[in-house]
Amino acid sequence: MNTTEAPLRVAVLGARGKVGREICKAVEAVSDMTLVAEIDAGDPIERLVESGAQAVVDFTHPDVVMGNLQFCIENGIHAVVGTTGFDDERLARLGELLAASPETGVLIAANFSIGAILMMRFAAQAAPLFESVEIVELHHPTKADAPSGTAGRTAELIAAARREANSPAMPDATSQEIDGARGADVDGVRVHSVRVRGLVAHQEVILGGLGETLTIRHDSIDRAGFGPGVLAGLRAIEAHPGLTIGLEHFLDLP
Ligand SMILES: NC(=O)C1=CN([C@@H]2O[C@H](COP(=O)(O)OP(=O)(O)OC[C@H]3O[C@@H](n4cnc5c(N)ncnc54)[C@H](OP(=O)(O)O)[C@@H]3O)[C@@H](O)[C@H]2O)C=CC1
Ligand SMILES: O=C(O)C1=N[C@H](C(=O)O)C[C@H](O)C1
């Protein structure tokens, strides 16, 4: 933690949203940061510049996040981004924008919870050791995207680990299927999305081999759980210009 320099000036985009509210509280609770702007839908984004924000946290919506980031990068404001919906095309566009503002840092993390980061890591470690791997993600029904960003990232990590290990194709004799019954195919990994009132954010990675299964499960039971990871991202972002994908790159994990 920085104890000698002035507090980092932080703005939150999506400040009145379910996660944004928690992030505002987390920033206000620490002494090495000052919350200088709380911006939500309908508020002018120019307030970021007027408030002197050095770093922005974005928990908004996949439809608006690219415009927000373009504004931040063009104004040299670092960004720590939890909003989902990033595909290769969007990441390439961010790379182009950052090339014109080389001192600016952008962190995109599908999940800021430490347990979810470990769940992804353990799943990737285990995936080459089992014949079958499928993902079930379960969320509240107000979620915009399916599958979740976390499930998409987990599938990519599993697929990469299995390619690296030359794992054979997973067994699946399905020859007759109602559309969607086997979930979405993300990089060769089946992902099933559940949307049920009362849930927050949950994911199971189910691995299976001869005579056994292993289930790795993570549960977010309160959105306050995303706060510590976002603070860690904010503390690291100034020292990491360019694009970083995944909070794990800023953490000291074993
Ligand atoms: N990476 C992570 O760890 C996590 C990521 N997420 C992701 O974060 C995003 C937000 O999730 P959640 O908080 O649940 O969603 P909410 O809908 O509760 O919050 C989003 C907020 O952003 C506002 N908003 C919309 N457009 C803009 C804009 N242009 N500028 C500023 N604010 C805007 C919305 O206003 P209005 O409702 O009026 O449109 C709303 O208040 C999603 O993509 C979700 O998947 C969620 C949890 C953890
Ligand atoms: O929308 C949510 O709620 C969440 N979104 C992120 C995702 O899509 O993975 C992170 C977490 O699952 C909560």
Side-chain angles (χ1 to χ4, degrees):
M1 190 183 301
N2 169 10
T3 50
T4 53
E5 291 174 23
L8 183 70
R9 298 176 66 80
V10 176
V12 175
L13 289 170
R16 291 192 286 277
K18 291 186 286 298
V19 183
R21 282 194 294 264
E22 296 299 329
I23 303 307
C24 290
K25 283 191 237 169
V27 170
E28 282 182 313
V30 295
S31 57
D32 60 331
M33 295 178 200
T34 305
L35 183 63
V36 295
E38 298 176 49
I39 299 176
D40 209 86
D43 298 334
I45 198 168
E46 291 73 20
R47 276 184 46 206
L48 290 179
V49 175
E50 290 154 18
S51 65
Q54 296 167 288
V56 151
V57 178
D58 189 304
F59 279 89
T60 57
H61 192 282
D63 291 349
V64 302
V65 65
M66 285 303 286
N68 291 345
L69 290 182
Q70 178 163 353
F71 183 90
C72 291
I73 294 167
E74 287 175 353
N75 286 280
I77 302 170
H78 307 294
V80 169
V81 184
T83 306
T84 46
F86 288 91
D87 55 14
D88 289 346
E89 196 182 319
R90 285 183 170 208
L91 295 176
R93 175 71 187 135
L94 288 181
E96 286 167 15
L97 291 166
L98 282 164
S101 181
E103 289 178 8
T104 307
V106 173
L107 167 66
I108 311 276
N111 205 307
F112 280 95
S113 121
I114 183 71
I117 292 166
L118 291 174
M119 176 253 303
M120 289 188 258
R121 170 172 286 221
F122 296 155
Q125 280 175 351
L129 305 174
F130 290 84
E131 276 185 75
S132 306
V133 192
E134 300 208 4
I135 298 171
V136 184
E137 57 95 339
L138 311 92
H139 282 82
H140 56 95
T142 55
K143 185 165 176 53
D145 53 330
S148 70
T150 305
R153 181 81 183 129
T154 312
E156 286 169 8
L157 293 170
I158 287 171
R162 288 177 69 91
R163 271 195 299 272
E164 172 86 6
N166 287 320
S167 302
M170 296 185 210
D172 183 354
T174 310
S175 60
Q176 227 191 336
E177 181 191 355
I178 294 179
D179 247 8
R182 293 285 293 114
D185 180 334
V186 182
D187 214 352
V189 181
R190 292 284 163 178
V191 181
H192 310 268
S193 296
V194 176
R195 297 289 175 265
V196 171
R197 185 74 69 198
L199 294 177
V200 179
H202 318 261
Q203 181 168 300
E204 287 188 0
V205 182
I206 306 170
L207 304 108
L210 184 63
E212 63 171 340
T213 64
L214 168 68
T215 301
I216 304 172
R217 179 172 171 118
H218 176 259
D219 296 278
S220 282
I221 52 178
D222 188 315
R223 292 177 178 86
F226 300 116
V230 169
L231 296 181
L234 284 167
R235 289 186 178 117
I237 193 68
E238 275 188 302
H240 293 86
L243 185 59
T244 303
I245 312 289
L247 180 65
E248 61 274 19
H249 298 292
F250 293 174
L251 299 178
D252 196 12
L253 295 177

